[in-house]
Amino acid sequence: MSGVRDAVRGHRGIFPALVRFAARRWRILLALFAGVLLPLLGFGMLANDVMEHEGLFWDAPILHFVHDQSTPALDRFMLFMSAIGYAWGVVPAVPVLFIILMAYRRRGDALFFALAVGGAGLMNRGAKLFFRRTRPALWTSIAPETSFSFPSGHAMGSMALAAAVVALLWPTRWRWPAIVVGGAFTFLVGLSRVYLGVHYPSDVLAGWSASLAWVVGVSFVAYGRAAKPRPSATPTAELRNQQVAS
C-alpha cells in the first residue's frame, strides 16, 4: 500500500512541477509553439491533401484571380521578383553573407546561417522528390518550369534567408527593418510564383511553413531561443550556459 501511496503522491506532484516549469519558460514555449509547431502543423495539413491527391479547393480560384490582374508591367516586375528569389538573389546572397560572418569571426553564427539556409534547400529537394506534385497548367506561363511543384523552392529559399537574417539581427536595432524588408521580400517572391502560374498557392504556403519551422528549430538548437538572444551570443556559449543551468 505504501508503494501505491508514493506513486499517487508522485503523480500529484507532476502537475505543479509542470505549472512551475511553464511559468518560468512561457516565453520560450510560446516561441516554440508559434515558430515551430504551428508551421509544422500547417505544412502537415497541406502535405496530407497533396498526398491524397485531393487538391485544395482554393488553389485554382486564387491562381485565376492573380492571373486576371496581369499587365505587361506586372509581368516584368514578377519576373524580376522570381529571379531575385532564387538564382539572381538568394543563391548568391547566401555565400556572401556566410563569408561576411566568417570575416568578422562569427564562426558560430556562420554555422547557424549555413545550417538554416542550406538545410532548408536540402529539405526542399527531398520533399519535391517525395511528393512529386506536378506544376499547375491552367495557362501558358511566361516563365515555365518542369520540375516538381510541392513545396515551392523559391518560397523556402527566400523564407530561410529572411528568417535566418532576422534571427541573427534580433538582439540589435536592425531587427524591425529586417522583419519588414525580409517579410515583404518573401511575400513578393511567393506571389511571383503564383502570378507566373508555376506554383499553386498551397506550394508557396507549404514552403514558407516548412522553412520557418526549420530555421526556428535550428535556432533553438544553436541558441536555445527562437532567435539569437544577445549580440555576443554564440551557439557554443549558449549550449554551455544551458548545461550549467540544468
Side-chain angles (χ1 to χ4, degrees):
M1 292 295 293
S2 62
V4 174
R5 286 195 296 271
D6 291 341
V8 172
R9 292 193 190 98
H11 284 297
R12 287 176 178 173
I14 291 176
F15 181 71
L18 289 174
V19 172
R20 290 193 297 271
F21 177 82
R24 291 195 301 267
R25 302 293 185 91
W26 69 270
R27 290 184 179 86
I28 296 177
L29 292 174
L30 180 61
L32 183 64
F33 178 75
V36 178
L37 297 183
L38 275 183
L40 282 180
L41 177 62
F43 177 83
M45 294 172 64
L46 294 168
N48 181 66
D49 286 331
V50 172
M51 282 291 292
E52 295 181 356
H53 303 288
E54 294 179 355
L56 292 105
F57 71 92
W58 40 268
D59 266 338
I62 292 176
L63 274 167
H64 282 299
F65 174 79
V66 174
H67 181 61
D68 288 343
Q69 316 308 312
S70 61
T71 65
L74 267 180
D75 287 352
R76 291 190 294 271
F77 177 72
M78 291 302 178
L79 285 170
F80 171 74
M81 291 306 306
S82 180
I84 65 171
Y86 189 68
W88 293 1
V90 171
V91 171
V94 171
V96 169
L97 291 176
F98 178 81
I99 291 170
I100 290 173
L101 289 169
M102 292 294 292
Y104 279 90
R105 300 184 183 277
R106 307 301 302 182
R107 295 183 178 86
D109 293 340
L111 177 60
F112 158 75
F113 182 77
L115 288 174
V117 182
L122 292 175
M123 284 176 56
N124 179 258
R125 290 183 179 274
K128 283 182 181 292
L129 292 175
F130 180 80
F131 292 103
R132 304 179 72 86
R133 189 186 199 184
T134 57
R135 300 270 180 175
L138 302 182
W139 64 83
T140 301
S141 174
I142 59 176
E145 298 276 2
T146 57
S147 60
F148 294 118
S149 183
F150 184 92
S152 165
H154 281 66
M156 285 194 73
S158 57
M159 173 62 81
L161 177 61
V165 170
V166 169
L168 290 173
L169 294 178
W170 190 260
T172 74
R173 63 179 180 176
W174 298 103
R175 167 174 44 182
W176 290 110
I179 291 173
V180 172
V181 174
F185 172 71
T186 302
F187 173 76
L188 288 173
V189 169
L191 178 62
S192 73
R193 304 304 284 167
V194 175
Y195 178 92
L196 295 172
V198 293
H199 274 298
Y200 294 102
S202 54
D203 296 335
V204 173
L205 290 176
W208 287 341
S209 299
S211 198
L212 179 62
W214 170 257
V215 174
V216 174
V218 173
S219 181
F220 265 103
V221 172
Y223 302 109
R225 299 289 190 277
K228 189 174 178 178
R230 298 178 305 281
S232 60
T234 63
T236 302
E238 292 307 305
L239 291 175
R240 189 185 304 116
N241 292 338
Q242 292 173 40
Q243 291 173 353
V244 172
S246 62

